[in-house]
Amino acid sequence: MDKCLSFELVTLYSKSSVLRELGHILVIDTSQREQRYYQKFTPRLNHGDDTILNLQHYLGTHYQERLSITMLADKACLSERTLQRRFFNATGLKPTRYIQNLRIQKTCDLLETTSQPFESIAYSMGYQSASALRKRFIEEMGLTPKAFRERFYLANKPHHEKESGPLT
């Protein structure tokens, strides 16, 4: 079956949020505009390093806090150098990059599912200014936060409502 036809069938018979999630899984843009490469950040958790896994779980709930390598090393009872080496070996990312990716993914989730202002999202992610997060977001996603929200936020509505308004 043709991929485009498959997406049209999903669009016709389910909510756009299903289509969006399918697009994330297949790493393609399901909007009717140009094809773009988007990928959800899914941390590697099956690496077998329990110390790093515990730290990842901690980061998953404390990503919005001011975090430093020194603080993370202390939390893991490791030297900074050992932390950085083991973290990279386990996750494929430096701790600072991991935290950035986590924050960008959480930002994407909020842009897709809420109408919360971007400035508010930025502060809730631990950034001191919205412009700092905006710069990182554009570097990572290739879209401004506003363009990202425009593309994906309305996808929460059923497809027929998005194009012609609610059926009456």
Side-chain angles (χ1 to χ4, degrees):
M1 182 181 268
D2 180 24
K3 286 183 223 172
C4 291
L5 177 59
S6 300
F7 283 116
E8 286 302 316
L9 291 172
V10 170
T11 301
L12 287 173
Y13 294 105
S14 67
K15 292 183 176 183
S16 294
S17 59
V18 172
L19 183 66
R20 187 183 74 246
E21 187 61 28
L22 184 60
H24 282 303
I25 292 168
L26 298 175
V27 194
I28 60 172
D29 185 354
T30 55
S31 73
Q32 294 181 1
R33 300 178 195 147
E34 66 185 75
Q35 291 293 311
R36 298 287 302 221
Y37 183 86
Y38 297 115
Q39 186 169 341
K40 267 188 153 176
F41 175 59
T42 307
R44 188 179 352 164
L45 302 172
N46 61 348
H47 45 70
D49 188 330
D50 289 340
T51 301
I52 299 302
L53 183 61
N54 288 336
L55 200 54
Q56 286 177 275
H57 288 303
Y58 175 81
L59 292 172
T61 57
H62 293 84
Y63 59 87
Q64 73 283 7
E65 296 174 10
R66 193 171 183 96
L67 302 165
S68 70
I69 297 298
T70 302
M71 187 275 295
L72 295 175
D74 288 345
K75 181 142 191 70
C77 299
L78 300 170
S79 70
E80 290 181 28
R81 185 174 173 161
T82 300
L83 167 72
Q84 294 207 41
R85 179 181 45 79
R86 283 180 58 182
F87 197 95
F88 185 83
N89 288 340
T91 67
L93 297 168
K94 294 179 179 180
T96 52
R97 181 68 173 173
Y98 182 94
I99 294 164
Q100 281 180 355
N101 287 357
L102 200 55
R103 288 175 174 171
I104 294 295
Q105 184 58 55
K106 299 288 187 182
T107 299
C108 288
D109 294 345
L110 289 173
L111 289 171
E112 289 177 4
T113 60
T114 72
S115 59
Q116 187 177 350
F118 181 73
E119 289 71 20
S120 175
I121 292 172
Y123 294 119
S124 73
M125 290 300 127
Y127 284 86
Q128 298 302 311
S129 72
S131 61
L133 177 56
R134 185 175 288 108
K135 180 180 176 185
R136 292 278 181 219
F137 190 90
I138 293 168
E139 287 172 3
E140 197 65 34
M141 301 308 295
L143 290 170
T144 64
K146 180 180 178 184
F148 184 89
R149 176 173 271 159
E150 287 171 355
R151 188 169 286 205
F152 292 109
Y153 180 66
L154 292 178
N156 290 326
K157 296 181 182 176
H159 184 69
H160 62 272
E161 286 185 25
K162 197 168 48 167
E163 297 194 356
S164 59
L167 296 177
T168 54

